[in-house]
Amino acid sequence: SAPLTIGLGFGMAALTEYIQTFVPGRYGCWDDVWLDFSGYISSTILVFIFLAIVYTIIRFKNKKNSKVKHR
């Protein structure tokens, strides 16, 4: 899953820069591809951290509730 996510993120960044070459007065640049890709990776990591925190909280609550019910 991770290689697919990374590949799609890089591909999208490269595609948007390639599309810009067809707009008069604009050009594609590899620096912009890397900048777009780093933003994509950063946001992906932040979403992953957020989901991991939510999952941990839900799991902790369920574990705590199951101990209370068994007493």
Side-chain angles (χ1 to χ4, degrees):
S1 169
L4 179 63
T5 302
I6 292 170
L8 288 174
F10 184 80
M12 186 58 69
L15 179 64
T16 58
E17 289 302 313
Y18 176 69
I19 290 171
Q20 283 185 14
T21 62
F22 296 107
V23 177
R26 308 240 4 221
Y27 62 94
C29 178
W30 280 107
D31 291 340
D32 289 342
V33 171
W34 289 112
L35 182 64
D36 293 347
F37 182 62
S38 66
Y40 171 80
I41 290 297
S42 299
S43 64
T44 301
I45 290 170
L46 287 174
V47 167
F48 175 78
I49 291 170
F50 174 76
L51 291 176
I53 290 170
V54 169
Y55 174 78
T56 303
I57 291 170
I58 291 171
R59 187 171 176 191
F60 179 74
K61 282 184 176 182
N62 288 341
K63 193 173 188 180
K64 188 176 178 181
N65 288 339
S66 68
K67 286 183 180 180
V68 171
K69 288 179 182 178
H70 288 97
R71 287 185 179 182

